Structures are given as structure tokens and as C-alpha cells.
Amino acid sequence: MKKLLKYLTAYKLRAVLAPVFKMLEACFELMVPLVIAKLIDDGITKNSSTTIYMCGAILIGLTIVGYGASLTAQYFAAKAALGFGKELRNDLFRIINGLTYTDIDKVGSSTLITRMTSDVNLVVTGVNMFLRLFLRSPFIVFGAVIMAFTVDAHVSMVFLVIMPLLAFVVCFITYACIPLYRKVQEKLDRVTLLTREGLIGIRVIRAFNREEIEKKEFAEGTDDLQGAQMKVGRLSALMNPVTYLIVNIGILMLIYFGGIRVDAGDLSQGQVVALVNYMSQVLVELVKLANLIITLTKALASARRLSDIISLEDKDETKASSRDKSGSAKKDSYGSDGPSLIFDNVSMSYEGSRENAIEDITFSAKAGDIIGIIGGTGSGKSTLVNLIPGFYHITAGSLMVDGREVNSYDKEELRSKIGIVPQKSVLFKGSIKDNLHMSAPDANTNTMNKALEVSQSAEFVNLKPEKLDYELTQGGKNLSGGQRQRLCIARALVREPEILILDDSSSALDYATEAKLRVALEETRDSRITIIVSQRASSIINADKILVLDDGKCIGMGRHDELMDSCEIYREIYHTQFSEKGGVSA
């Protein structure tokens, strides 16, 4: 929870004023039983209308002032809690967007959704309730005990018997509930994952007629969640009845011993009523405190989960600072005349894996070079290119962009040099222009039109009446797969990157369109390094350098003609796609 307190910094004045006004309200509330005692003893018993009216006026005044203090406290608590929630959500969103792929793979996207929604809401509620009640309720409980002793010390010994029992019950139930609430949130993660997978994969589910199986799995997930909630609910539900039972026993004891002292003439009727009122205040506040503790227990469990996400950023920053100290001043052989890229015996393994995903990869590229990467499924092609923008960190070797180690760059500085088109085409709801501006917010119309021309998107964009203002649905579902891929390529080109990475991003294009795209990229190659990852030999056949990967290792490197002579796997890939007789023209 300590890591989250920084988000209250901007609202610390409101966070202080809220409990101050609540304490003020509590002070007025503690005065009420004394006024009622005077009303009974000096007003009703002595039949003094003046005292009755005076005490009535005081009670009304205390009510109005207390109500005003309560409203003011509620206002400041709400402002502080909601402001805290806004700052926390914004920072979490920033942190999640900056996480490496390793961290996202480790945590899971479904739990990130749960933490950004359910967990944040629980923490905000906890902060709100804490500011309103955490000081007020204990203050009234102990204040009522002290005030009771000022009325009559002998009868008030009942409070010293009741209070330890209540404290034990509250602490025991709270301690037992904390791990159970954590399990509830984990079960909620599972339901969120099933929901997300079901919505994203609805077409696949229907295609394979798995609706009933998915329904069964979802029902099992919700049953597990219900079972966990019922278990912790049954335990936390004991709080109110047990506290009510203990406090009502205390009230009975007060009435019994108070009645004895009234008969003896040592205590007045009004004082007995005051003692009962103080015990009732203890009861009400302990019930509030019990509910507050349950809320805070949920909030603390969620706060730990949110702190884990914040810790991921701290871990990455620590690694980055240690990497900054390592010789980032090394210069590559291409100097500073243009963009350059050097892989020097680079290896990388996924977290938790004993084997390297890629191993001892060495190659270099300079401005104007087109690098092709080809290999079978699972050979490490995407892993290799994901190292360049720092999505994953290398575990051995050296990876340099423009003469600097990749890991010594600030993320924004590094990724501003790179345009990447991932395997899955991702477009967002909004206009085509909005999607292109994601890559370069300041790009003008000419730059965007040029990118559309190179990516072969202009031919269908210009057919739309709205052209760049054409509205895309969520995920660009109102376009074909090939059109989505071409727009994603255009989005990467708008940035005019030093390094353009096309990660199997033309798989949905027909051969004619892909050939046009390849020619357009070659014509505009001079200012950048172009890296093309593909399953098709035709996509990389004209590349200046082709890397052939197999099981994470580079088993061949060179131009097409060289690899046809020296690399058996490359020949196999080529011949499985094209007839040996006709081949493909370069």
C-alpha cells in the first residue's frame, strides 16, 4: 500500500481535512448523551420546561452542526479518493503500456484488465472509507468509554470487559479474511480470462462447434468464484451478529448494575440512559468499523496486486540503470552517417525457459539495406525482431542501434527510430487518419498519402468517399484482412522510421499486391534499414542479406543465389513454394 500513497500527494490537504471534520462531528456526537442525561435529570424529573427547551435547542444545534461537518468531510473524502483513483489509473495505464513483453507474458493480459478495473475500484473505495471512518470510529469508541467513566466509574467497568472481546472478534475475523479475499480476486482473474478469450475467439468457437464446452468451462469458473465469495462472505458475515451480541450483553449488564446503583441513590436515571447511549454508540461504531475493516481488507488485497504491477516498472528501471553504466559509448563500424544495426552474438531466452529462443545471432545492417529473415514456424524470427525495439531483453551478446546499446536507450527515444508492423494487424476505432496519426501525431496529409501509396493502401482508401476520414470499426473489422495489413504498414511508414520492421505483415496479400509493395519499398529504401520477416521466399528474394533461422540459430546468411548454393533448408523452403523449373524471377 505504501507504493500507492504517492498518488494522494496532490490531494493531501483534502485527505487531512476529511478526517478532521469527521472528528469534529464525532465530538458533537459524544456530547449528545450528556445533554440527554441533563434533559432527563434536570428537565423531565424536575418538570423544568426551561431546561427541556434549552436541552432540545442544544440537541438540534448539535445535529445541524454535526450534519454540516459530516457533509464537509464526505465532500473532501470523495474528492481525495476519486482524485487518487484518477492518478492511480493513469499511472497504471502508463506502466502497463511500458512493460516489456516478458512482463506482460508473465502477468497475463486478463489479470491486468482485472487490476485496472476491479482492483482499482476496491482501493478507491477503501481510501474513501478510510478517510471517513478510520479515525472517527475508534475515536468515538474510546471517547465513549472515557465519557462513560466520567459519568460513573463503577458501572463503566463493564466497558473494560466488553472492549477486549470485541477487539478479539474483529481482529480474528479480519486476519482470517485477508487471504480469502486475495483468492477471490484470483478467481475473478480466471473469469475475466475466460470472458476475454470467449469474446475474442467467438468465431473460432462457433467454427468448431465448441459453444457448449466453453459454456461449461465458464460455468465452472463462475462456480469457483461464487464458492470463494461465499466462503469469505460466511466468515465476514459473522462480524455484525457477534459484535451485536457482545454489545447487547454489555447493555444488559449496564442496565442491571446501573439499576442497582440507582436504587442505592448513587446514580441518576439520566446517567444510566447516558451510559446505555454510550454503549449504543460503541455498538454502532464497531459495526461501522467492522464493515470498514472488511472493505479495507479487500482494498489491501487489491493494493498488493497493484503494487506488484508498479514493482515491474521499478524492476525495469533498475535493470536499465545498471545497463546504462555498461559501455554504451561503443560505436559501430558505420559511424554516424545514417541508421545502423548490429547484432553481435545475441542470445535471448524467455523467462522460465532453460533454453535460448535465439542463440548467437550475428549480422549488421546500414541505411538502405533490406534484410530478409526466413525460417520455419517457431524458428525465432519474431523473437529476433522484437529485440530491436526492446520488447524483450537480450540475455547475452550485444545489440546496437546507431552505435548505442539498445538497452541503454530510453524507450521513447529508441522506439521513435523504429516502425514495426506485427504479425497481427491491429487497428483502432476511429478514422484512417486517426490510426495513421498514432505513429506520427504531427504527420501532414502529404506524408500520409505517400505512406498509403508505398503500402498499396491508396487504391482502396481513395475509393472511399471520406478517404482519410473514413471511420473504422473496432479492430478495423469493416476492412478485409489484406486492407488491414496494408494500413498497418502505412501507419509504420508515416513515422519515416530509421528501421522498418515488417513481421510477416504481408501474409494476407495476394502475390501481385505483395510484388507492388516490395517494389515500392525498394524504391524508398535509401533512408532506412528495412527488415522483412516472412514465410514466403518471394517476399525476401531480392533482399541484400537473408538470414535463415532454424530452432533459434542462424544456419545461413547471404543473398538468394548464395543461399541456394550453400543452405539446404533455404533450398527446401524455396522449392516447396516454387517449381524448380520455373522458379521466381529476381
Side-chain angles (χ1 to χ4, degrees):
M1 189 68 183
K2 291 180 180 178
K3 291 185 178 180
L4 306 187
L5 292 179
K6 64 182 180 181
Y7 300 108
L8 268 177
T9 303
Y11 307 93
K12 56 186 176 183
L13 179 61
R14 297 181 181 91
V16 170
L17 289 176
V20 166
F21 276 96
K22 272 295 181 181
M23 298 282 279
L24 185 62
E25 178 206 2
C27 291
F28 295 138
E29 190 170 333
L30 288 173
M31 295 171 62
V32 170
L34 296 179
V35 177
I36 291 176
K38 184 174 180 62
L39 175 66
I40 294 172
D41 294 336
D42 296 341
I44 297 175
T45 303
K46 297 179 180 179
N47 198 23
S48 172
S49 58
T50 302
T51 304
I52 293 173
Y53 289 136
M54 181 186 69
C55 290
I58 292 173
L59 288 174
I60 292 173
L62 289 173
T63 301
I64 293 173
V65 175
Y67 180 70
S70 178
L71 281 180
T72 305
Q74 303 274 45
Y75 171 79
F76 285 125
K79 291 285 284 186
L82 294 176
F84 165 85
K86 181 191 74 172
E87 299 291 338
L88 177 58
R89 284 189 184 93
N90 289 342
D91 205 40
L92 280 173
F93 191 76
R94 177 189 61 80
I95 291 170
I96 290 172
N97 274 279
L99 292 179
T100 64
Y101 282 11
T102 301
D103 292 328
I104 294 174
D105 293 343
K106 181 180 178 181
V107 178
S109 55
S110 60
T111 186
L112 290 175
I113 294 171
T114 304
R115 296 185 198 201
M116 276 287 294
T117 53
S118 175
D119 285 324
V120 171
N121 287 337
L122 287 173
V123 171
V124 169
T125 301
V127 170
N128 192 6
M129 297 295 288
F130 179 88
L131 295 177
R132 287 165 49 190
L133 297 176
F134 192 74
L135 290 180
R136 180 189 187 278
S137 293
F139 179 79
I140 285 188
V141 169
F142 289 106
V145 173
I146 293 170
M147 295 297 288
F149 271 88
T150 64
V151 174
D152 186 84
H154 291 87
V155 178
S156 296
M157 296 299 292
V158 172
F159 284 87
L160 298 183
V161 176
I162 297 298
M163 294 301 293
L165 289 175
L166 290 171
F168 173 78
V169 169
V170 171
C171 292
F172 174 78
I173 294 178
T174 300
Y175 181 78
C177 283
I178 289 176
L180 296 179
Y181 280 121
R182 194 176 299 120
K183 288 184 179 179
V184 167
Q185 291 302 107
E186 291 172 357
K187 301 289 186 183
L188 182 59
D189 285 345
R190 172 65 178 163
V191 172
T192 303
L193 174 62
L194 291 171
T195 304
R196 183 173 181 272
E197 288 182 339
L199 292 174
I200 292 174
I202 186 65
R203 297 186 182 186
V204 177
I205 292 169
R206 290 178 179 175
F208 290 97
N209 197 29
R210 285 182 55 89
E211 290 95 335
E212 294 303 319
I213 297 174
E214 293 297 321
K215 287 179 184 177
K216 183 179 178 181
E217 288 183 1
F218 187 80
E220 289 174 355
T222 53
D223 287 343
D224 286 344
L225 175 61
Q226 182 189 28
Q229 289 174 324
M230 291 292 289
K231 184 176 181 180
V232 69
R234 281 192 290 267
L235 183 58
S236 62
L238 290 174
M239 187 87 77
N240 283 2
V242 173
T243 52
Y244 268 103
L245 176 64
I246 294 173
V247 170
N248 280 309
I249 290 173
I251 290 174
L252 288 175
M253 294 171 66
L254 283 176
I255 293 173
Y256 176 77
F257 291 117
I260 293 175
R261 288 183 63 77
V262 168
D263 287 341
D266 297 328
L267 201 65
S268 68
Q269 294 176 349
Q271 288 175 316
V272 173
V273 172
L275 291 173
V276 172
N277 280 339
Y278 282 127
M279 184 62 80
S280 298
Q281 284 184 352
V282 170
L283 170 62
V284 171
E285 292 306 320
L286 280 174
V287 170
K288 289 181 182 179
L289 187 60
N291 292 327
L292 171 63
I293 290 172
I294 292 172
T295 300
L296 290 180
T297 301
K298 295 179 182 178
L300 287 172
S302 294
R304 289 192 185 94
R305 288 159 52 85
L306 296 177
S307 295
D308 291 341
I309 303 300
I310 296 172
S311 297
L312 291 176
E313 183 189 40
D314 297 338
K315 179 191 71 176
D316 286 344
E317 287 179 351
T318 301
K319 286 184 177 179
S321 63
S322 64
R323 288 190 295 265
D324 288 342
K325 296 175 183 178
S326 63
S328 60
K330 290 169 64 179
K331 294 294 180 181
D332 61 55
S333 58
Y334 298 111
S336 58
D337 295 334
S340 63
L341 175 67
I342 294 180
F343 276 72
D344 185 8
N345 293 316
V346 170
S347 298
M348 177 266 176
S349 62
Y350 291 105
E351 188 165 330
S353 175
R354 295 180 179 179
E355 298 181 356
N356 287 329
I358 59 171
E359 189 170 355
D360 295 330
I361 301 296
T362 299
F363 73 93
S364 59
K366 62 181 183 300
D369 285 351
I370 296 180
I371 306 297
I373 302 176
I374 195 168
T377 301
S379 59
K381 302 185 299 297
S382 295
T383 300
L384 188 149
V385 295
N386 281 330
L387 296 177
I388 300 171
F391 295 150
Y392 292 103
H393 296 310
I394 64 174
T395 53
S398 173
L399 172 54
M400 303 180 73
V401 171
D402 293 350
R404 285 176 57 188
E405 291 280 355
V406 162
N407 293 333
S408 72
Y409 275 98
D410 175 77
K411 291 176 183 177
E412 291 184 6
E413 182 186 1
L414 173 64
R415 292 170 188 171
S416 66
K417 297 173 176 287
I418 300 168
I420 185 167
V421 185
Q423 289 179 333
K424 183 178 180 181
S425 302
V426 178
L427 295 171
F428 297 86
K429 181 177 175 59
S431 67
I432 292 175
K433 183 186 294 184
D434 292 336
N435 276 270
L436 296 181
H437 273 155
M438 291 189 68
S439 175
D442 299 328
N444 56 39
T445 303
N446 290 335
T447 303
M448 287 188 283
N449 286 332
K450 182 180 177 182
L452 292 174
E453 290 286 347
V454 174
S455 67
Q456 308 306 303
S457 305
E459 61 185 49
F460 71 85
V461 172
N462 291 334
L463 292 177
K464 309 290 184 185
E466 304 90 344
K467 292 185 170 48
L468 287 172
D469 293 321
Y470 179 71
E471 286 289 321
L472 303 180
T473 58
Q474 183 179 0
K477 297 299 183 183
N478 53 342
L479 298 177
S480 69
Q483 289 172 338
R484 290 198 295 270
Q485 279 195 338
R486 283 181 277 174
L487 273 184
C488 288
I489 294 172
R491 181 172 58 195
L493 289 169
V494 164
R495 174 174 285 183
E496 298 180 338
E498 295 182 10
I499 301 174
L500 175 65
I501 301 172
L502 305 178
D503 186 4
D504 203 15
S505 54
S506 59
S507 57
L509 304 185
D510 58 80
Y511 283 101
T513 304
E514 185 187 23
K516 293 178 184 177
L517 171 63
R518 191 167 66 247
V519 170
L521 290 173
E522 289 175 0
E523 290 175 349
T524 58
R525 63 191 284 182
D526 292 343
S527 60
R528 65 171 181 265
I529 298 170
T530 305
I531 300 176
I532 302 174
V533 177
S534 182
Q535 301 276 8
R536 297 178 180 176
S538 61
S539 299
I540 49 91
I541 199 168
N542 292 328
D544 301 302
K545 190 180 296 179
I546 300 172
L547 278 68
V548 184
L549 299 187
D550 183 49
D551 196 24
K553 297 181 177 64
C554 182
I555 60 170
M557 185 186 306
R559 298 182 66 87
H560 168 71
D561 294 338
E562 297 169 351
L563 291 172
M564 288 294 289
D565 294 333
S566 62
C567 184
E568 182 179 352
I569 288 183
Y570 183 79
R571 282 198 304 271
E572 290 178 359
I573 293 173
Y574 179 81
H575 290 314
T576 56
Q577 297 179 12
F578 307 103
S579 66
E580 293 188 42
K581 182 178 180 180
V584 174
S585 62

